[in-house]
Amino acid sequence: MGYLLLAGAIAAEVAATTALKYTEGFSRLWPSVATALGYLVSFALLAQALKTVQIGTAYAIWSGVGTAAIAVLGLLLFGEGLSLTKVAGILLIVGGVVVLNMGGATH
């Protein structure tokens, strides 16, 4: 159940960060509300996930998957460029999450 909550936390964080792009510096009401609610839901779900998932593992997955997802959404939704450096960075993030999980997933 902890990993399901963690997946929800990641989805809410990615949605909030995407909405943040549309706030135009928090000058637009509804994207700003969506951003605030998304982060609130994300942190609430992350807190619940931490009841059963180790904090280092949970945070590595939450931040790593969220970062990689936002980088991909930046490409797809906002026309951000894709360079070899960006691809390498995303792969390093994903690799780091995998290594952390392999080395510390026990309770």
Side-chain angles (χ1 to χ4, degrees):
M1 184 65 164
Y3 285 98
L4 186 59
L5 291 166
L6 185 57
I10 293 166
E13 188 269 333
V14 169
T17 302
T18 303
L20 184 62
K21 176 73 172 172
Y22 294 104
T23 67
E24 296 179 17
F26 290 109
S27 65
R28 297 181 62 214
L29 176 63
W30 295 115
S32 299
V33 169
T35 298
L37 287 175
Y39 284 126
L40 181 66
V41 168
S42 180
F43 285 121
L45 291 173
L46 180 60
Q48 293 302 309
L50 292 178
K51 290 180 178 178
T52 58
V53 180
Q54 290 182 355
I55 190 168
T57 300
Y59 190 75
I61 294 169
W62 182 78
S63 61
V65 172
T67 300
I70 288 298
V72 170
L73 286 174
L75 295 168
L76 298 175
L77 298 178
F78 305 114
E80 294 179 358
L82 181 64
S83 66
L84 185 57
T85 305
K86 189 177 276 190
V87 170
I90 293 169
L91 291 175
L92 286 169
I93 291 166
V94 172
V97 169
V98 169
V99 170
L100 278 171
N101 281 312
M102 288 172 46
T106 60
H107 286 268

